[in-house]
Amino acid sequence: MNIPFNKPHLTGRELSYMAEAVVNGHISGDGGFTKRCQTILEQSLGVTNALLTTSCTHALEMAAMLLDVKPGDEVIVPSFTFVSTVNAFVLRGARPVFCDIRPDTLNIDERLLPDLISPRTRVIVPVHYGGIGCEMDTIMDLAGRHGIAVVEDNAHGLFGRYRGKLLGTFGSMATQSFHETKNLHCGEGGALLINDPALVERAEIIREKGTNRSRFFRGQVDKYTWVDLGSSYLPSDLLAAFLLAQLEAAESIQGRRRDIWEYYATHLAGWAQEHGILLPHVPEHCDPSWHLFYLLMPSLDDRQRLISGLKERGILSVFHYQSLHVSPMGERFGGRIGDCPVTEKFSSQLVRLPFYNDLNKADLERIVGSILELY
Ligand SMILES: *Cc1c(COP(=O)(O)O)cnc(C)c1O
């Protein structure tokens, strides 16, 4: 039996909740299930407002609109991230300024930010890689002093903490992904978390095609009309029904992921040290969200040999982000080889191990056993 890299977890309640949505007769956006998901997110995270969206990509696009990002503005992003972190702002005409990552956590290197900030900098977008928090104290302090907004791309980090505070609660906004590769999912989905109350009303408008429809449904206006920019970012209540099953099971899902993460960390530590391989580093003041587990192999060659060796044994491991500053699009914004050396190096050495809730003990033994034999 092959061990895939990812297998979307099911709690067992998804289908009955979806059936309930059908029977309720409300399967467009903002139905009862959407409200229940948003309430859980708001209460468990303590954010002012949580709005379900069709994806994390769309939540990032909403954030860029809400901040009125415009041509000429600069947005500081890590080069080691998913394209959407950057695209959402580029869509509004902004120029991305790529920041290298820390060699320990692979998060945006806050020590480089002072040199990247210019009078045109409008936003910094930290990505909590693997659900291990960026250095938020330094980032928030710098941003505050320069009047720059912070939007956390928290696609990996739901329920992770930095100095005891939940990831996604630092910036004026944060974005979540419920894509099937994430800890909790509904196939495709996301959320915009809002920590600045002044942004809530306009966020509802942007998410509702630029209309004040949400106010209309609450009886705050007697008809609804076009009032601002907007698009259609509401997921169907069918997907929210699926997601509710996952959110209700968050504690056990996270607990199982923690066990898997710790199994890898414990059983690979000695081997890694002996072979000069790096495992994820968790600073003492960070509680991870147990999103992924990676190895940093000594070279690209070693990485490729391990991936193909595991594949021959029916185990799927994968690499991750390629440096965005030297992608064809990144080069159009002036990105050059050498700009972000840590990103360039680690993106060619990193391999992610299978990571999903239904991995059992025998699977884990087989994966770790194979790694030890292969390298
Ligand atoms: C998965 C991911 C996204 C995109 O999420 P979607 O919900 O698929 O749009 C954005 N940023 C990061 C860091 C991600 O891992």
Side-chain angles (χ1 to χ4, degrees), residues 54-58 60 81-82 84-85 127 153-156 175-179 181-182 188-190 291 320-321:
T54 30
S55 64
C56 180
T57 302
H58 281 165
L60 285 159
T81 184
F82 190 64
S84 296
T85 315
V127 178
D153 180 340
N154 197 33
H156 298 185
T175 62
Q176 301 298 149
S177 175
F178 300 117
H179 185 264
T181 50
K182 302 305 196 298
E188 298 275 358
H291 176 55
H320 211 184
Y321 306 131

Side-chain angles (χ1 to χ4, degrees), residues 51-209:
L51 293 171
L52 286 197
T53 58
T54 30
S55 64
C56 180
T57 302
H58 281 165
L60 285 159
E61 288 178 19
M62 285 182 65
M65 283 188 207
L66 276 161
L67 293 171
D68 287 318
V69 170
K70 53 185 188 317
D73 289 347
E74 292 177 358
V75 177
I76 302 180
V77 291
S79 177
F80 188 67
T81 184
F82 190 64
V83 287
S84 296
T85 315
V86 190
N87 243 338
F89 297 91
V90 170
L91 274 169
R92 314 256 35 101
R95 194 174 81 82
V97 174
F98 293 102
C99 185
D100 208 355
I101 50 174
R102 294 177 58 102
D104 54 358
T105 56
L106 314 193
N107 281 330
I108 193 165
D109 192 336
E110 74 288 348
R111 295 162 296 193
L112 304 173
L113 291 172
D115 282 342
L116 299 176
I117 290 173
S118 86
R120 301 185 154 210
T121 309
R122 291 288 319 286
V123 193
I124 300 174
V125 194
V127 178
H128 306 297
Y129 185 69
I132 294 167
C134 297
E135 283 305 318
M136 294 313 290
D137 281 353
T138 309
I139 295 171
M140 294 310 295
D141 179 58
L142 260 176
R145 276 191 282 128
H146 288 88
I148 297 169
V150 172
V151 175
E152 299 169 74
D153 180 340
N154 197 33
H156 298 185
L158 188 58
F159 304 126
R161 288 172 189 267
Y162 171 81
R163 297 197 192 281
K165 187 169 154 65
L166 284 156
L167 302 180
T169 64
F170 290 87
S172 55
M173 286 176 275
T175 62
Q176 301 298 149
S177 175
F178 300 117
H179 185 264
E180 72 172 19
T181 50
K182 302 305 196 298
N183 291 23
L184 307 183
H185 75 99
C186 58
E188 298 275 358
L192 179 67
L193 308 181
I194 304 174
N195 295 305
D196 175 356
L199 296 170
V200 173
E201 186 175 333
R202 198 163 164 239
E204 290 180 342
I205 289 168
I206 287 173
R207 181 165 162 271
E208 270 282 17
K209 299 98 182 163

Side-chain angles (χ1 to χ4, degrees), residues 79 98-101 103 112 323 325-326 336-349:
S79 177
F98 293 102
C99 185
D100 208 355
I101 50 174
L112 304 173
S323 312
H325 67 287
V326 287
R336 294 287 174 269
I337 288 180
D339 287 354
C340 301
V342 184
T343 303
E344 290 164 28
K345 179 167 147 52
F346 285 165
S347 59
S348 68
Q349 297 176 354

Side-chain angles (χ1 to χ4, degrees), residues 245-366:
Q246 300 259 321
L247 283 168
E248 285 179 345
E251 218 176 292
S252 70
I253 291 173
Q254 292 295 93
R256 177 73 198 123
R257 296 184 77 95
R258 180 186 182 138
D259 291 345
I260 294 168
W261 199 98
E262 286 178 344
Y263 183 94
Y264 280 139
T266 312
H267 290 82
L268 291 169
W271 165 84
Q273 197 167 22
E274 202 178 307
H275 292 84
I277 290 158
L278 298 176
L279 305 182
H281 170 73
V282 183
E284 210 155 300
H285 52 278
C286 291
D287 299 317
S289 67
W290 323 111
H291 176 55
L292 52 80
F293 195 91
Y294 64 78
L295 313 174
L296 284 171
M297 301 300 287
S299 70
L300 172 64
D301 247 24
D302 292 320
R303 196 253 314 259
Q304 296 313 101
R305 266 201 300 127
L306 183 68
I307 290 179
S308 33
L310 287 172
K311 194 169 174 203
E312 277 164 26
R313 292 160 180 248
I315 299 166
L316 265 295
S317 61
V318 295
F319 55 88
H320 211 184
Y321 306 131
Q322 299 304 294
S323 312
L324 285 177
H325 67 287
V326 287
S327 64
M329 193 65 182
E331 283 179 343
R332 282 209 238 159
F333 290 103
R336 294 287 174 269
I337 288 180
D339 287 354
C340 301
V342 184
T343 303
E344 290 164 28
K345 179 167 147 52
F346 285 165
S347 59
S348 68
Q349 297 176 354
L350 187 143
V351 52
R352 289 181 293 160
L353 301 181
F355 205 114
Y356 53 89
N357 275 55
D358 303 335
L359 274 175
N360 58 35
K361 184 117 192 294
D363 296 330
L364 289 169
E365 284 169 1
R366 189 173 137 203

